[in-house]
Amino acid sequence: MPVFCHPEFDAHEKVLFGHDPETGLKAIIALHNTSRGPALGGCRLWAYESDEAALTDVLRLSRGMTYKSALADLPFGGGKSVIIGDAETMKSEALFRAMGRLVESLGGRYRVAEDVGVTVADVEAMGQVTRYVAGIPAGGAGDPSPATAWGVFCGLKASVRHKFGSDDLNGVSVAVQGLGAVGRHLAAHLHAAGAKLVVADINERAVRQAVEAWDALAVAPSEIHAVEAEIFAPCALGAVLNEKTIPQLNCAVIAGSANNQLATLRDGAALKARGILYAPDYVLNAGGIVNISHETQLSGASYDKATAFAHVARIGDTLAEIYRLAERADLPTSEAADRLAEQRFKPAVRQAA
Ligand code: NAD
């Protein structure tokens, strides 16, 4: 399995493979770039079809965290970890303690939080053997979804201001795809601001609640991306913006929380060609991690929600800067975001002795 010449390697500072025969732990921690500070990123537990698939995922995710933290102006670098296995069958406290020891072995260069397949309780189990954990109740921030939704709302308003010259959402129509932890908080903010909601979810109960609470119009999940609305807010799946869906879009702005919305880099250019303003997902959905950065374990100060949410709101300013750069350099907004991020971290740092 190639590591240094892996297509996703991209000058990672460190890739650590860990194994614990007693608990069955097979894990990889990837540190992409720590020039801004220790790497902060979640730990994913997933039944990868091969070790190589796990390596590809962790390299891609940890690089993404470098860009996300840089654009959110956090004193953190990019890192991520994966545990290879089936969340249904292999989870145990001992497994997460073994993972915690692996995190501890990096002496603080990596701070671990939850991700797909790993709960806050699992991170707390890691916390029994390492203090380098984040996103647990003891730190004060709690569930990241409300902060993520607040960041999406602020960024959506900045995008509307850029596109239409005013960020007044009264009477503006927004198609929300996915009414889960983030989507439903976002929909509540939009409704309170006077927006007209069109919604879809595969969960019928979530749709019913939205119709009742916010007078939303419900459409089929297969149609939501194509409905006529000023804004499309993808808050469910990745790769929703692709060569099939982009020609069907009927919106002027895309601003939602879902990760990896563009199926390929080319799709950013396709949106630009159609004159649709795309709010780059990793900029818009950084509210959760910004909130976590205010936790006691990471900031050293006690958590204050008002301060944390004011920091989250700055996502709107960052997007405005990205849009200006995109216009000046005639770039898709997705590429302008990457360029701006790359100005904010150094390509390589000397390893600590
Ligand atoms: P969630 O699982 O709580 O909600 C996802 C919702 O999407 C669910 O209600 C689900 O039923 C719905 N859904 C699934 N398939 C669908 C389809 N085909 N059409 C319409 N709806 C569908 O997840 P979440 O925490 O709300 O996160 C939403 C997205 O935002 C994910 O892509 C996630 O990676 C990203 N994100 C979340 C956070 C956070 O703080 N939770 C932070 C950053 C990014």
Side-chain angles (χ1 to χ4, degrees):
M1 181 169 65
V3 178
F4 295 109
C5 58
H6 190 289
E8 304 289 342
F9 184 68
D10 189 43
H12 265 73
E13 287 174 16
K14 192 185 261 298
V15 182
L16 178 67
F17 294 80
H19 178 227
D20 177 55
E22 245 169 66
T23 58
L25 177 78
K26 283 194 274 175
I28 313 174
I29 300 179
L31 304 188
H32 177 249
N33 188 293
T34 58
S35 63
R36 293 180 62 89
L40 173 62
C43 173
R44 182 169 286 193
L45 171 53
W46 194 253
Y48 292 100
E49 62 191 27
S50 65
D51 295 353
E52 192 160 358
L55 178 65
T56 302
D57 202 32
V58 77
L59 292 175
R60 221 181 255 162
L61 291 166
S62 84
R63 176 178 184 271
M65 290 308 294
T66 299
Y67 283 70
K68 186 176 218 168
S69 285
L71 280 187
D73 212 10
L74 300 179
F76 296 111
K80 203 92 180 184
S81 56
V82 295
I83 299 175
I84 301 167
D86 186 340
E88 296 290 314
T89 54
M90 82 173 306
K91 273 192 166 191
S92 70
E93 218 178 271
L95 175 86
F96 288 106
R97 278 200 301 272
M99 185 64 194
R101 284 192 291 277
L102 196 63
V103 171
E104 177 69 20
S105 75
L106 290 169
R109 284 185 70 201
Y110 172 57
R111 311 287 177 115
V112 66
E114 47 130 17
D115 199 274
V116 178
V118 173
T119 63
V120 170
D122 300 332
V123 179
E124 286 180 309
M126 295 186 219
Q128 293 172 21
V129 292
T130 180
R131 71 201 132 108
Y132 303 121
V133 291
I136 56 172
D143 174 12
S145 308
T148 303
W150 177 240
V152 174
F153 178 69
C154 296
L156 181 149
K157 282 185 62 146
S159 307
V160 170
R161 192 181 315 124
H162 184 83
K163 189 74 183 174
F164 302 118
S166 156
D167 66 3
D168 184 358
L169 294 177
N170 200 24
V172 170
S173 52
V174 188
V176 182
Q177 179 183 48
L179 296 162
V182 180
R184 64 170 184 270
H185 284 292
L186 174 66
H189 289 308
L190 291 168
H191 175 72
K196 288 185 291 186
L197 297 175
V198 186
V199 299
D201 197 298
I202 52 171
N203 177 342
E204 286 174 15
R205 209 167 128 246
V207 173
R208 248 192 338 269
Q209 282 171 349
V211 170
E212 281 163 21
W214 307 307
D215 202 20
L217 174 70
V219 299
S222 58
E223 290 169 16
I224 186 77
H225 66 278
V227 298
E228 201 176 327
E230 271 106 349
I231 303 158
F232 174 42
C235 297
L237 314 163
V240 283
L241 305 172
N242 54 51
E243 59 181 8
K244 182 168 162 257
T245 58
I246 290 174
Q248 300 169 345
L249 294 171
N250 259 314
C251 60
V253 172
I254 299 173
S257 73
N259 274 314
N260 304 322
Q261 291 170 30
L262 299 175
T264 68
L265 258 184
R266 281 192 311 277
D267 296 312
L271 290 171
K272 176 173 181 286
R274 282 214 49 199
I276 297 172
L277 183 67
Y278 168 65
D281 48 13
Y282 72 86
V283 185
L284 196 62
N285 70 19
I289 195 166
V290 171
N291 193 43
I292 282 177
S293 77
H294 284 259
E295 285 185 344
T296 314
Q297 296 107 324
L298 294 177
S299 68
S302 54
Y303 173 75
D304 176 55
K305 185 175 171 189
T307 308
F309 273 52
H311 186 175
V312 170
R314 294 194 340 234
I315 286 173
D317 303 333
T318 308
L319 279 171
E321 198 178 341
I322 289 165
Y323 296 150
R324 284 194 296 272
L325 173 61
E327 280 183 358
R328 255 197 337 269
D330 194 25
L331 285 171
T333 52
S334 46
E335 288 175 40
D338 288 355
R339 241 190 228 188
L340 191 63
E342 282 157 9
Q343 292 167 13
R344 295 185 180 186
F345 62 87
K346 297 196 192 86
V349 291
R350 271 168 52 118
Q351 303 271 320

